[in-house]
Short mmCIF file of all heavy atoms in Angstrom, two decimals:
data_model
loop_
_atom_site.label_atom_id
_atom_site.label_comp_id
_atom_site.label_asym_id
_atom_site.label_seq_id
_atom_site.Cartn_x
_atom_site.Cartn_y
_atom_site.Cartn_z
N MET A 130 -200.70 -80.30 -228.53
CA MET A 130 -201.49 -79.11 -228.54
C MET A 130 -201.40 -78.58 -227.05
O MET A 130 -201.83 -79.29 -226.17
CB MET A 130 -202.92 -79.43 -229.00
CG MET A 130 -203.76 -78.18 -228.96
SD MET A 130 -205.53 -78.41 -229.48
CE MET A 130 -205.28 -78.71 -231.23
N GLY A 131 -201.02 -77.35 -226.98
CA GLY A 131 -200.92 -76.77 -225.57
C GLY A 131 -202.35 -76.29 -225.14
O GLY A 131 -203.31 -76.34 -225.89
N THR A 132 -202.37 -75.97 -223.90
CA THR A 132 -203.62 -75.57 -223.23
C THR A 132 -204.24 -74.30 -223.95
O THR A 132 -205.48 -74.26 -224.24
CB THR A 132 -203.38 -75.25 -221.76
OG1 THR A 132 -202.85 -76.43 -221.15
CG2 THR A 132 -204.71 -74.93 -221.10
N GLU A 133 -203.39 -73.34 -224.31
CA GLU A 133 -203.85 -72.10 -224.96
C GLU A 133 -204.39 -72.45 -226.28
O GLU A 133 -205.53 -71.92 -226.66
CB GLU A 133 -202.78 -71.13 -225.03
CG GLU A 133 -203.15 -69.77 -225.59
CD GLU A 133 -202.06 -68.83 -225.61
OE1 GLU A 133 -201.33 -68.70 -224.63
OE2 GLU A 133 -201.88 -68.11 -226.65
N SER A 134 -203.74 -73.30 -227.09
CA SER A 134 -204.25 -73.68 -228.41
C SER A 134 -205.57 -74.42 -228.28
O SER A 134 -206.51 -74.20 -229.11
CB SER A 134 -203.29 -74.52 -229.07
OG SER A 134 -202.07 -73.89 -229.36
N LEU A 135 -205.72 -75.26 -227.29
CA LEU A 135 -206.93 -76.07 -227.14
C LEU A 135 -208.10 -75.06 -226.77
O LEU A 135 -209.18 -75.21 -227.29
CB LEU A 135 -206.78 -77.06 -226.02
CG LEU A 135 -207.98 -77.88 -225.73
CD1 LEU A 135 -208.40 -78.67 -226.90
CD2 LEU A 135 -207.72 -78.87 -224.57
N LEU A 136 -207.84 -74.09 -225.94
CA LEU A 136 -208.88 -73.10 -225.59
C LEU A 136 -209.28 -72.31 -226.81
O LEU A 136 -210.50 -72.03 -226.93
CB LEU A 136 -208.41 -72.30 -224.43
CG LEU A 136 -208.27 -72.94 -223.05
CD1 LEU A 136 -207.61 -71.92 -222.05
CD2 LEU A 136 -209.55 -73.40 -222.57
N VAL A 137 -208.36 -71.93 -227.60
CA VAL A 137 -208.70 -71.13 -228.80
C VAL A 137 -209.56 -71.99 -229.74
O VAL A 137 -210.47 -71.55 -230.30
CB VAL A 137 -207.45 -70.56 -229.50
CG1 VAL A 137 -207.74 -70.00 -230.86
CG2 VAL A 137 -206.70 -69.52 -228.59
N PHE A 138 -209.11 -73.22 -229.90
CA PHE A 138 -209.83 -74.16 -230.79
C PHE A 138 -211.28 -74.38 -230.35
O PHE A 138 -212.20 -74.34 -231.08
CB PHE A 138 -209.12 -75.47 -230.79
CG PHE A 138 -209.69 -76.52 -231.79
CD1 PHE A 138 -209.60 -76.36 -233.17
CD2 PHE A 138 -210.44 -77.57 -231.26
CE1 PHE A 138 -210.13 -77.31 -234.00
CE2 PHE A 138 -210.98 -78.46 -232.17
CZ PHE A 138 -210.83 -78.38 -233.53
N LEU A 139 -211.43 -74.53 -229.00
CA LEU A 139 -212.81 -74.70 -228.45
C LEU A 139 -213.62 -73.44 -228.56
O LEU A 139 -214.84 -73.51 -228.80
CB LEU A 139 -212.73 -75.20 -227.00
CG LEU A 139 -212.14 -76.62 -226.79
CD1 LEU A 139 -212.05 -76.85 -225.32
CD2 LEU A 139 -212.95 -77.60 -227.49
N LEU A 140 -212.99 -72.27 -228.39
CA LEU A 140 -213.72 -71.07 -228.53
C LEU A 140 -214.16 -70.76 -229.97
O LEU A 140 -215.30 -70.38 -230.22
CB LEU A 140 -212.79 -69.87 -228.08
CG LEU A 140 -213.46 -68.48 -228.16
CD1 LEU A 140 -214.59 -68.35 -227.20
CD2 LEU A 140 -212.40 -67.36 -227.80
N VAL A 141 -213.29 -71.10 -230.93
CA VAL A 141 -213.63 -71.00 -232.33
C VAL A 141 -214.78 -71.90 -232.61
O VAL A 141 -215.73 -71.56 -233.30
CB VAL A 141 -212.41 -71.31 -233.23
CG1 VAL A 141 -212.85 -71.51 -234.68
CG2 VAL A 141 -211.42 -70.15 -233.17
N GLY A 142 -214.78 -73.16 -232.07
CA GLY A 142 -215.80 -74.17 -232.32
C GLY A 142 -217.14 -73.68 -231.73
O GLY A 142 -218.20 -73.80 -232.36
N LEU A 143 -217.08 -73.01 -230.54
CA LEU A 143 -218.28 -72.53 -229.90
C LEU A 143 -218.90 -71.40 -230.76
O LEU A 143 -220.05 -71.37 -230.98
CB LEU A 143 -217.98 -72.02 -228.46
CG LEU A 143 -219.12 -71.57 -227.67
CD1 LEU A 143 -220.12 -72.65 -227.44
CD2 LEU A 143 -218.55 -71.04 -226.32
N ILE A 144 -218.07 -70.46 -231.22
CA ILE A 144 -218.55 -69.37 -232.00
C ILE A 144 -219.06 -69.86 -233.34
O ILE A 144 -220.16 -69.45 -233.73
CB ILE A 144 -217.42 -68.33 -232.29
CG1 ILE A 144 -217.04 -67.68 -230.97
CG2 ILE A 144 -217.82 -67.31 -233.30
CD1 ILE A 144 -215.75 -66.84 -231.01
N ALA A 145 -218.44 -70.80 -233.98
CA ALA A 145 -218.87 -71.37 -235.25
C ALA A 145 -220.25 -72.06 -235.05
O ALA A 145 -221.09 -71.96 -235.94
CB ALA A 145 -217.84 -72.25 -235.81
N GLY A 146 -220.36 -72.92 -234.05
CA GLY A 146 -221.62 -73.58 -233.71
C GLY A 146 -222.71 -72.64 -233.49
O GLY A 146 -223.87 -72.86 -234.05
N PHE A 147 -222.51 -71.57 -232.82
CA PHE A 147 -223.51 -70.54 -232.50
C PHE A 147 -223.94 -69.90 -233.90
O PHE A 147 -225.16 -69.79 -234.18
CB PHE A 147 -222.99 -69.53 -231.54
CG PHE A 147 -223.94 -68.34 -231.35
CD1 PHE A 147 -225.04 -68.42 -230.55
CD2 PHE A 147 -223.66 -67.12 -232.04
CE1 PHE A 147 -225.92 -67.37 -230.40
CE2 PHE A 147 -224.52 -66.02 -231.85
CZ PHE A 147 -225.64 -66.17 -231.05
N LEU A 148 -222.97 -69.48 -234.63
CA LEU A 148 -223.24 -68.79 -235.94
C LEU A 148 -224.01 -69.73 -236.91
O LEU A 148 -224.93 -69.28 -237.54
CB LEU A 148 -221.97 -68.28 -236.53
CG LEU A 148 -221.28 -67.12 -235.87
CD1 LEU A 148 -219.92 -66.83 -236.49
CD2 LEU A 148 -222.13 -65.90 -235.84
N ALA A 149 -223.55 -71.00 -236.98
CA ALA A 149 -224.25 -71.94 -237.84
C ALA A 149 -225.71 -72.18 -237.45
O ALA A 149 -226.53 -72.26 -238.25
CB ALA A 149 -223.46 -73.32 -237.84
N GLY A 150 -225.95 -72.23 -236.07
CA GLY A 150 -227.25 -72.38 -235.62
C GLY A 150 -228.19 -71.25 -236.03
O GLY A 150 -229.36 -71.36 -236.42
N LYS A 151 -227.58 -70.02 -235.98
CA LYS A 151 -228.38 -68.79 -236.37
C LYS A 151 -228.52 -68.76 -237.90
O LYS A 151 -229.57 -68.42 -238.38
CB LYS A 151 -227.62 -67.55 -235.92
CG LYS A 151 -227.56 -67.43 -234.43
CD LYS A 151 -228.91 -67.33 -233.82
CE LYS A 151 -228.87 -67.18 -232.33
NZ LYS A 151 -230.13 -67.32 -231.68
N LEU A 152 -227.53 -69.11 -238.66
CA LEU A 152 -227.65 -69.08 -240.10
C LEU A 152 -228.63 -70.14 -240.56
O LEU A 152 -229.28 -69.89 -241.66
CB LEU A 152 -226.29 -69.33 -240.76
CG LEU A 152 -225.29 -68.17 -240.58
CD1 LEU A 152 -223.89 -68.63 -241.08
CD2 LEU A 152 -225.72 -66.94 -241.33
N MET A 153 -228.69 -71.28 -239.95
CA MET A 153 -229.60 -72.31 -240.44
C MET A 153 -231.01 -72.16 -239.82
O MET A 153 -231.76 -73.12 -239.79
CB MET A 153 -228.95 -73.68 -240.08
CG MET A 153 -227.79 -74.01 -240.89
SD MET A 153 -227.98 -74.06 -242.65
CE MET A 153 -228.95 -75.56 -242.81
N LYS A 154 -231.31 -71.01 -239.25
CA LYS A 154 -232.56 -70.74 -238.67
C LYS A 154 -232.92 -71.62 -237.49
O LYS A 154 -234.15 -71.89 -237.15
CB LYS A 154 -233.73 -70.86 -239.71
CG LYS A 154 -233.46 -70.00 -240.93
CD LYS A 154 -233.56 -68.58 -240.61
CE LYS A 154 -233.58 -67.78 -241.95
NZ LYS A 154 -232.78 -66.64 -241.89
N GLY A 155 -231.93 -72.08 -236.80
CA GLY A 155 -232.12 -72.89 -235.64
C GLY A 155 -232.08 -72.01 -234.41
O GLY A 155 -231.59 -70.84 -234.42
N SER A 156 -232.41 -72.53 -233.28
CA SER A 156 -232.36 -71.81 -232.04
C SER A 156 -231.07 -72.07 -231.28
O SER A 156 -230.93 -71.61 -230.17
CB SER A 156 -233.58 -72.06 -231.15
OG SER A 156 -233.64 -73.48 -230.89
N GLY A 157 -230.23 -72.84 -231.84
CA GLY A 157 -229.04 -73.25 -231.19
C GLY A 157 -229.21 -74.52 -230.49
O GLY A 157 -230.29 -75.05 -230.39
N PHE A 158 -228.13 -75.08 -230.02
CA PHE A 158 -228.11 -76.44 -229.37
C PHE A 158 -227.66 -76.36 -227.94
O PHE A 158 -227.32 -77.39 -227.43
CB PHE A 158 -227.34 -77.38 -230.15
CG PHE A 158 -227.82 -77.56 -231.62
CD1 PHE A 158 -227.17 -76.87 -232.59
CD2 PHE A 158 -228.90 -78.36 -231.87
CE1 PHE A 158 -227.58 -77.05 -233.89
CE2 PHE A 158 -229.34 -78.43 -233.15
CZ PHE A 158 -228.75 -77.80 -234.16
N GLY A 159 -227.53 -75.15 -227.39
CA GLY A 159 -227.00 -75.10 -226.07
C GLY A 159 -225.47 -74.98 -226.18
O GLY A 159 -224.90 -75.17 -227.23
N LEU A 160 -224.85 -74.75 -225.02
CA LEU A 160 -223.38 -74.64 -225.04
C LEU A 160 -222.62 -75.84 -225.51
O LEU A 160 -221.78 -75.73 -226.42
CB LEU A 160 -222.95 -74.26 -223.60
CG LEU A 160 -221.41 -73.99 -223.41
CD1 LEU A 160 -221.11 -72.71 -224.12
CD2 LEU A 160 -221.19 -73.93 -221.89
N ILE A 161 -222.93 -76.94 -225.03
CA ILE A 161 -222.21 -78.20 -225.39
C ILE A 161 -222.62 -78.54 -226.90
O ILE A 161 -221.69 -78.95 -227.61
CB ILE A 161 -222.52 -79.36 -224.47
CG1 ILE A 161 -222.20 -78.93 -223.03
CG2 ILE A 161 -221.87 -80.67 -224.90
CD1 ILE A 161 -220.72 -78.69 -222.81
N GLY A 162 -223.85 -78.47 -227.27
CA GLY A 162 -224.24 -78.77 -228.57
C GLY A 162 -223.67 -77.87 -229.64
O GLY A 162 -223.13 -78.38 -230.67
N ASN A 163 -223.57 -76.60 -229.37
CA ASN A 163 -222.93 -75.69 -230.22
C ASN A 163 -221.45 -75.95 -230.41
O ASN A 163 -220.88 -75.88 -231.53
CB ASN A 163 -223.13 -74.18 -229.83
CG ASN A 163 -224.50 -73.65 -230.06
OD1 ASN A 163 -225.28 -74.21 -230.82
ND2 ASN A 163 -224.84 -72.54 -229.46
N LEU A 164 -220.81 -76.21 -229.27
CA LEU A 164 -219.41 -76.59 -229.21
C LEU A 164 -219.16 -77.82 -230.15
O LEU A 164 -218.24 -77.86 -230.92
CB LEU A 164 -218.92 -76.78 -227.83
CG LEU A 164 -217.43 -77.17 -227.67
CD1 LEU A 164 -216.61 -76.03 -228.13
CD2 LEU A 164 -217.20 -77.47 -226.17
N GLY A 165 -219.94 -78.83 -229.96
CA GLY A 165 -219.76 -80.06 -230.75
C GLY A 165 -219.97 -79.83 -232.22
O GLY A 165 -219.15 -80.28 -233.09
N VAL A 166 -221.08 -79.08 -232.57
CA VAL A 166 -221.30 -78.78 -234.02
C VAL A 166 -220.16 -77.92 -234.58
O VAL A 166 -219.69 -78.17 -235.70
CB VAL A 166 -222.61 -78.03 -234.20
CG1 VAL A 166 -222.77 -77.43 -235.61
CG2 VAL A 166 -223.79 -78.99 -233.85
N GLY A 167 -219.69 -76.95 -233.79
CA GLY A 167 -218.55 -76.14 -234.25
C GLY A 167 -217.27 -76.84 -234.42
O GLY A 167 -216.57 -76.62 -235.41
N VAL A 168 -216.97 -77.78 -233.47
CA VAL A 168 -215.67 -78.48 -233.56
C VAL A 168 -215.70 -79.47 -234.75
O VAL A 168 -214.71 -79.53 -235.52
CB VAL A 168 -215.39 -79.24 -232.24
CG1 VAL A 168 -214.27 -80.26 -232.38
CG2 VAL A 168 -215.04 -78.23 -231.15
N ILE A 169 -216.80 -80.18 -234.90
CA ILE A 169 -216.94 -81.03 -236.06
C ILE A 169 -216.96 -80.32 -237.41
O ILE A 169 -216.28 -80.68 -238.31
CB ILE A 169 -218.19 -82.05 -235.94
CG1 ILE A 169 -218.03 -82.93 -234.76
CG2 ILE A 169 -218.45 -82.80 -237.21
CD1 ILE A 169 -219.33 -83.61 -234.39
N GLY A 170 -217.59 -79.11 -237.32
CA GLY A 170 -217.61 -78.24 -238.50
C GLY A 170 -216.25 -77.78 -238.87
O GLY A 170 -215.92 -77.57 -239.97
N ALA A 171 -215.42 -77.48 -237.77
CA ALA A 171 -214.09 -77.03 -238.07
C ALA A 171 -213.28 -78.04 -238.82
O ALA A 171 -212.55 -77.69 -239.76
CB ALA A 171 -213.41 -76.72 -236.74
N PHE A 172 -213.35 -79.25 -238.45
CA PHE A 172 -212.74 -80.41 -239.19
C PHE A 172 -213.24 -80.48 -240.59
O PHE A 172 -212.47 -80.67 -241.58
CB PHE A 172 -212.82 -81.67 -238.46
CG PHE A 172 -212.01 -81.79 -237.18
CD1 PHE A 172 -212.53 -81.88 -235.97
CD2 PHE A 172 -210.60 -81.83 -237.37
CE1 PHE A 172 -211.73 -81.98 -234.85
CE2 PHE A 172 -209.73 -81.90 -236.21
CZ PHE A 172 -210.34 -82.05 -234.96
N LEU A 173 -214.60 -80.51 -240.75
CA LEU A 173 -215.22 -80.62 -242.03
C LEU A 173 -214.80 -79.44 -242.92
O LEU A 173 -214.47 -79.66 -244.06
CB LEU A 173 -216.75 -80.74 -241.91
CG LEU A 173 -217.57 -80.87 -243.12
CD1 LEU A 173 -217.18 -82.21 -243.84
CD2 LEU A 173 -219.01 -80.92 -242.81
N GLY A 174 -214.99 -78.22 -242.38
CA GLY A 174 -214.64 -77.01 -243.16
C GLY A 174 -213.17 -77.01 -243.58
O GLY A 174 -212.84 -76.63 -244.67
N GLY A 175 -212.27 -77.40 -242.66
CA GLY A 175 -210.86 -77.45 -242.98
C GLY A 175 -210.56 -78.41 -244.12
O GLY A 175 -209.79 -78.18 -245.00
N TRP A 176 -211.29 -79.61 -244.03
CA TRP A 176 -211.05 -80.59 -245.09
C TRP A 176 -211.59 -80.05 -246.46
O TRP A 176 -210.89 -80.16 -247.42
CB TRP A 176 -211.76 -81.90 -244.70
CG TRP A 176 -211.63 -82.99 -245.78
CD1 TRP A 176 -210.50 -83.69 -246.02
CD2 TRP A 176 -212.61 -83.28 -246.76
NE1 TRP A 176 -210.86 -84.52 -247.14
CE2 TRP A 176 -212.09 -84.30 -247.49
CE3 TRP A 176 -213.93 -82.86 -246.97
CZ2 TRP A 176 -212.84 -84.91 -248.58
CZ3 TRP A 176 -214.66 -83.47 -247.98
CH2 TRP A 176 -214.11 -84.50 -248.76
N ILE A 177 -212.74 -79.51 -246.44
CA ILE A 177 -213.38 -78.93 -247.70
C ILE A 177 -212.45 -77.81 -248.29
O ILE A 177 -212.21 -77.78 -249.46
CB ILE A 177 -214.79 -78.50 -247.45
CG1 ILE A 177 -215.67 -79.72 -247.19
CG2 ILE A 177 -215.33 -77.61 -248.64
CD1 ILE A 177 -217.11 -79.34 -246.73
N PHE A 178 -212.03 -76.88 -247.40
CA PHE A 178 -211.22 -75.82 -247.85
C PHE A 178 -209.91 -76.27 -248.49
O PHE A 178 -209.39 -75.81 -249.42
CB PHE A 178 -211.02 -74.82 -246.79
CG PHE A 178 -212.14 -73.81 -246.63
CD1 PHE A 178 -213.43 -74.11 -246.92
CD2 PHE A 178 -211.86 -72.54 -246.11
CE1 PHE A 178 -214.49 -73.20 -246.77
CE2 PHE A 178 -212.90 -71.62 -245.89
CZ PHE A 178 -214.15 -71.98 -246.30
N SER A 179 -209.31 -77.33 -247.84
CA SER A 179 -208.01 -77.80 -248.34
C SER A 179 -208.16 -78.57 -249.65
O SER A 179 -207.30 -78.44 -250.54
CB SER A 179 -207.38 -78.79 -247.32
OG SER A 179 -208.16 -80.03 -247.20
N VAL A 180 -209.28 -79.21 -249.84
CA VAL A 180 -209.67 -79.88 -251.16
C VAL A 180 -209.78 -78.86 -252.28
O VAL A 180 -209.31 -79.02 -253.34
CB VAL A 180 -210.83 -80.75 -251.03
CG1 VAL A 180 -211.36 -81.21 -252.33
CG2 VAL A 180 -210.63 -82.02 -250.16
N LEU A 181 -210.41 -77.71 -251.87
CA LEU A 181 -210.64 -76.69 -252.83
C LEU A 181 -209.41 -75.77 -253.04
O LEU A 181 -209.41 -74.90 -253.92
CB LEU A 181 -211.82 -75.78 -252.44
CG LEU A 181 -213.22 -76.49 -252.36
CD1 LEU A 181 -214.22 -75.61 -251.80
CD2 LEU A 181 -213.63 -76.96 -253.78
N GLY A 182 -208.38 -75.95 -252.21
CA GLY A 182 -207.16 -75.15 -252.28
C GLY A 182 -207.32 -73.74 -251.67
O GLY A 182 -206.57 -72.82 -252.00
N VAL A 183 -208.32 -73.56 -250.81
CA VAL A 183 -208.57 -72.25 -250.17
C VAL A 183 -207.79 -72.21 -248.86
O VAL A 183 -207.87 -73.18 -248.07
CB VAL A 183 -210.10 -72.01 -249.92
CG1 VAL A 183 -210.28 -70.73 -249.16
CG2 VAL A 183 -210.84 -72.11 -251.20
N VAL A 184 -207.03 -71.14 -248.63
CA VAL A 184 -206.30 -70.97 -247.39
C VAL A 184 -206.96 -69.79 -246.65
O VAL A 184 -206.97 -68.74 -247.08
CB VAL A 184 -204.78 -70.73 -247.68
CG1 VAL A 184 -204.09 -70.51 -246.36
CG2 VAL A 184 -204.24 -71.87 -248.44
N ALA A 185 -207.43 -70.11 -245.39
CA ALA A 185 -207.96 -69.03 -244.60
C ALA A 185 -207.09 -68.93 -243.35
O ALA A 185 -207.01 -69.89 -242.53
CB ALA A 185 -209.39 -69.38 -244.22
N GLY A 186 -206.44 -67.75 -243.14
CA GLY A 186 -205.52 -67.64 -242.06
C GLY A 186 -206.12 -66.74 -240.96
O GLY A 186 -207.08 -66.06 -241.13
N GLY A 187 -205.50 -66.85 -239.80
CA GLY A 187 -205.85 -66.03 -238.70
C GLY A 187 -207.12 -66.56 -237.97
O GLY A 187 -207.74 -67.55 -238.32
N ILE A 188 -207.51 -65.81 -236.94
CA ILE A 188 -208.59 -66.32 -236.14
C ILE A 188 -209.98 -66.10 -236.88
O ILE A 188 -210.87 -66.92 -236.84
CB ILE A 188 -208.64 -65.50 -234.77
CG1 ILE A 188 -209.70 -66.16 -233.79
CG2 ILE A 188 -208.96 -64.03 -234.93
CD1 ILE A 188 -209.26 -67.41 -233.17
N ILE A 189 -210.05 -65.03 -237.66
CA ILE A 189 -211.30 -64.81 -238.39
C ILE A 189 -211.40 -65.94 -239.53
O ILE A 189 -212.48 -66.40 -239.72
CB ILE A 189 -211.28 -63.38 -239.06
CG1 ILE A 189 -211.17 -62.30 -238.04
CG2 ILE A 189 -212.53 -63.16 -240.04
CD1 ILE A 189 -212.34 -62.26 -237.04
N GLY A 190 -210.36 -66.18 -240.15
CA GLY A 190 -210.36 -67.29 -241.18
C GLY A 190 -210.74 -68.65 -240.53
O GLY A 190 -211.49 -69.38 -241.15
N SER A 191 -210.26 -68.86 -239.34
CA SER A 191 -210.60 -70.14 -238.61
C SER A 191 -212.14 -70.14 -238.30
O SER A 191 -212.76 -71.12 -238.42
CB SER A 191 -209.83 -70.24 -237.33
OG SER A 191 -208.38 -70.33 -237.64
N ILE A 192 -212.64 -68.99 -237.87
CA ILE A 192 -214.09 -68.97 -237.55
C ILE A 192 -214.93 -69.19 -238.77
O ILE A 192 -215.90 -69.81 -238.81
CB ILE A 192 -214.41 -67.64 -236.82
CG1 ILE A 192 -213.77 -67.62 -235.40
CG2 ILE A 192 -215.94 -67.43 -236.69
CD1 ILE A 192 -213.83 -66.32 -234.75
N VAL A 193 -214.50 -68.51 -239.91
CA VAL A 193 -215.22 -68.64 -241.15
C VAL A 193 -215.21 -70.12 -241.62
O VAL A 193 -216.19 -70.71 -242.02
CB VAL A 193 -214.68 -67.77 -242.27
CG1 VAL A 193 -215.20 -68.03 -243.60
CG2 VAL A 193 -214.99 -66.26 -241.85
N THR A 194 -213.96 -70.70 -241.61
CA THR A 194 -213.85 -72.08 -241.98
C THR A 194 -214.70 -73.03 -241.17
O THR A 194 -215.45 -73.88 -241.68
CB THR A 194 -212.38 -72.52 -241.91
OG1 THR A 194 -211.57 -71.67 -242.72
CG2 THR A 194 -212.21 -73.97 -242.32
N ALA A 195 -214.67 -72.84 -239.90
CA ALA A 195 -215.45 -73.70 -238.95
C ALA A 195 -216.95 -73.45 -239.16
O ALA A 195 -217.74 -74.37 -239.13
CB ALA A 195 -215.06 -73.47 -237.53
N THR A 196 -217.31 -72.19 -239.33
CA THR A 196 -218.75 -71.89 -239.53
C THR A 196 -219.31 -72.53 -240.84
O THR A 196 -220.36 -73.07 -240.90
CB THR A 196 -219.02 -70.35 -239.59
OG1 THR A 196 -218.53 -69.90 -238.34
CG2 THR A 196 -220.47 -70.05 -239.76
N VAL A 197 -218.50 -72.47 -241.94
CA VAL A 197 -218.95 -73.05 -243.20
C VAL A 197 -219.05 -74.54 -243.01
O VAL A 197 -220.06 -75.16 -243.46
CB VAL A 197 -217.93 -72.71 -244.30
CG1 VAL A 197 -218.12 -73.61 -245.57
CG2 VAL A 197 -217.93 -71.29 -244.70
N GLY A 198 -218.15 -75.17 -242.35
CA GLY A 198 -218.25 -76.63 -242.11
C GLY A 198 -219.38 -76.93 -241.21
O GLY A 198 -220.17 -77.96 -241.49
N ALA A 199 -219.69 -76.17 -240.18
CA ALA A 199 -220.84 -76.40 -239.29
C ALA A 199 -222.17 -76.25 -240.05
O ALA A 199 -223.14 -76.99 -239.81
CB ALA A 199 -220.75 -75.49 -238.11
N VAL A 200 -222.25 -75.24 -240.90
CA VAL A 200 -223.50 -75.08 -241.74
C VAL A 200 -223.70 -76.27 -242.65
O VAL A 200 -224.78 -76.80 -242.70
CB VAL A 200 -223.42 -73.75 -242.52
CG1 VAL A 200 -224.49 -73.66 -243.64
CG2 VAL A 200 -223.53 -72.57 -241.64
N ILE A 201 -222.67 -76.71 -243.24
CA ILE A 201 -222.79 -77.92 -244.12
C ILE A 201 -223.20 -79.16 -243.30
O ILE A 201 -224.06 -79.95 -243.72
CB ILE A 201 -221.47 -78.21 -244.87
CG1 ILE A 201 -221.29 -77.11 -245.89
CG2 ILE A 201 -221.45 -79.55 -245.53
CD1 ILE A 201 -219.85 -77.11 -246.51
N LEU A 202 -222.58 -79.29 -242.12
CA LEU A 202 -222.99 -80.39 -241.15
C LEU A 202 -224.43 -80.29 -240.85
O LEU A 202 -225.14 -81.30 -240.88
CB LEU A 202 -222.08 -80.31 -239.98
CG LEU A 202 -222.43 -81.37 -238.86
CD1 LEU A 202 -222.17 -82.77 -239.36
CD2 LEU A 202 -221.53 -81.12 -237.62
N LEU A 203 -224.95 -79.11 -240.46
CA LEU A 203 -226.39 -78.99 -240.10
C LEU A 203 -227.28 -79.22 -241.27
O LEU A 203 -228.38 -79.84 -241.12
CB LEU A 203 -226.62 -77.60 -239.55
CG LEU A 203 -225.95 -77.29 -238.12
CD1 LEU A 203 -226.22 -75.87 -237.77
CD2 LEU A 203 -226.49 -78.27 -237.12
N TYR A 204 -226.85 -78.82 -242.43
CA TYR A 204 -227.62 -79.09 -243.66
C TYR A 204 -227.75 -80.58 -243.89
O TYR A 204 -228.84 -81.10 -244.17
CB TYR A 204 -227.00 -78.41 -244.83
CG TYR A 204 -227.79 -78.65 -246.10
CD1 TYR A 204 -229.02 -78.00 -246.37
CD2 TYR A 204 -227.23 -79.41 -247.10
CE1 TYR A 204 -229.70 -78.25 -247.54
CE2 TYR A 204 -227.93 -79.68 -248.29
CZ TYR A 204 -229.17 -79.06 -248.52
OH TYR A 204 -229.84 -79.29 -249.68
N LEU A 205 -226.68 -81.35 -243.73
CA LEU A 205 -226.68 -82.75 -244.01
C LEU A 205 -227.54 -83.42 -242.88
O LEU A 205 -228.23 -84.41 -243.23
CB LEU A 205 -225.23 -83.31 -243.88
CG LEU A 205 -224.30 -82.92 -245.04
CD1 LEU A 205 -222.95 -83.42 -244.82
CD2 LEU A 205 -224.80 -83.40 -246.37
N VAL A 206 -227.54 -82.96 -241.66
CA VAL A 206 -228.35 -83.55 -240.68
C VAL A 206 -229.80 -83.30 -240.94
O VAL A 206 -230.61 -84.18 -240.79
CB VAL A 206 -227.99 -82.95 -239.23
CG1 VAL A 206 -228.98 -83.31 -238.20
CG2 VAL A 206 -226.67 -83.39 -238.84
N GLN A 207 -230.14 -82.08 -241.46
CA GLN A 207 -231.59 -81.86 -241.81
C GLN A 207 -232.02 -82.78 -242.93
O GLN A 207 -233.09 -83.21 -242.95
CB GLN A 207 -231.73 -80.41 -242.29
CG GLN A 207 -231.70 -79.43 -241.09
CD GLN A 207 -231.88 -77.92 -241.62
OE1 GLN A 207 -231.88 -77.73 -242.80
NE2 GLN A 207 -231.96 -77.04 -240.66
N ILE A 208 -231.16 -83.00 -243.94
CA ILE A 208 -231.52 -83.89 -245.06
C ILE A 208 -231.73 -85.31 -244.51
O ILE A 208 -232.66 -85.99 -244.92
CB ILE A 208 -230.42 -83.90 -246.15
CG1 ILE A 208 -230.38 -82.61 -246.86
CG2 ILE A 208 -230.62 -85.05 -247.10
CD1 ILE A 208 -229.26 -82.48 -247.87
N MET A 209 -230.87 -85.72 -243.64
CA MET A 209 -231.02 -87.14 -243.13
C MET A 209 -232.28 -87.28 -242.22
O MET A 209 -232.77 -88.40 -242.14
CB MET A 209 -229.72 -87.52 -242.39
CG MET A 209 -228.57 -87.48 -243.28
SD MET A 209 -227.12 -88.39 -242.88
CE MET A 209 -227.68 -89.97 -242.31
N ARG A 210 -232.73 -86.23 -241.59
CA ARG A 210 -233.86 -86.33 -240.81
C ARG A 210 -235.18 -86.47 -241.54
O ARG A 210 -236.17 -86.94 -241.03
CB ARG A 210 -234.02 -85.11 -239.89
CG ARG A 210 -233.16 -85.18 -238.69
CD ARG A 210 -233.33 -84.00 -237.78
NE ARG A 210 -232.51 -84.08 -236.56
CZ ARG A 210 -232.49 -83.17 -235.63
NH1 ARG A 210 -233.27 -82.13 -235.77
NH2 ARG A 210 -231.72 -83.34 -234.62
N LYS A 211 -235.13 -86.02 -242.84
CA LYS A 211 -236.34 -86.09 -243.67
C LYS A 211 -236.62 -87.44 -244.25
O LYS A 211 -235.99 -88.31 -244.39
CB LYS A 211 -236.29 -85.08 -244.84
CG LYS A 211 -236.40 -83.63 -244.29
CD LYS A 211 -236.34 -82.64 -245.43
CE LYS A 211 -236.42 -81.22 -244.91
NZ LYS A 211 -236.54 -80.26 -245.95
#
């Protein structure tokens, strides 16, 4: 993975983590926390979408995929905390 690809991946993760925090009525987790949630969410969303046979292309598709994964991740964390 080149430097440019890594930066795009991290930017998508940051955006997805921020959006997921807002969608789940959270206040966010700070820069590093949002990045972590978004990156893990990107992997989770990519896996879920591939299992369902959904293909999301482009940068917007990547952000949507990562955000869906991050929202699911945050939901699972909320369930485990209860």
Side-chain angles (χ1 to χ4, degrees):
M130 179 181 290
T132 304
E133 185 175 315
S134 297
L135 180 61
L136 290 175
V137 169
F138 184 74
L139 293 176
L140 180 63
V141 166
L143 184 61
I144 293 169
F147 172 78
L148 291 173
K151 295 299 179 187
L152 290 171
M153 294 299 290
K154 306 292 188 221
S156 59
F158 300 100
L160 182 65
I161 301 300
N163 284 346
L164 180 62
V166 168
V168 168
I169 295 169
F172 286 112
L173 181 61
W176 177 76
I177 290 171
F178 278 27
S179 70
V180 167
L181 296 175
V183 177
V184 177
I188 191 78
I189 300 299
S191 296
I192 292 171
V193 169
T194 301
T196 302
V197 168
V200 166
I201 292 169
L202 176 66
L203 291 177
Y204 179 71
L205 292 174
V206 168
Q207 285 179 355
I208 288 175
M209 298 200 46
R210 283 188 177 175
K211 289 183 180 184

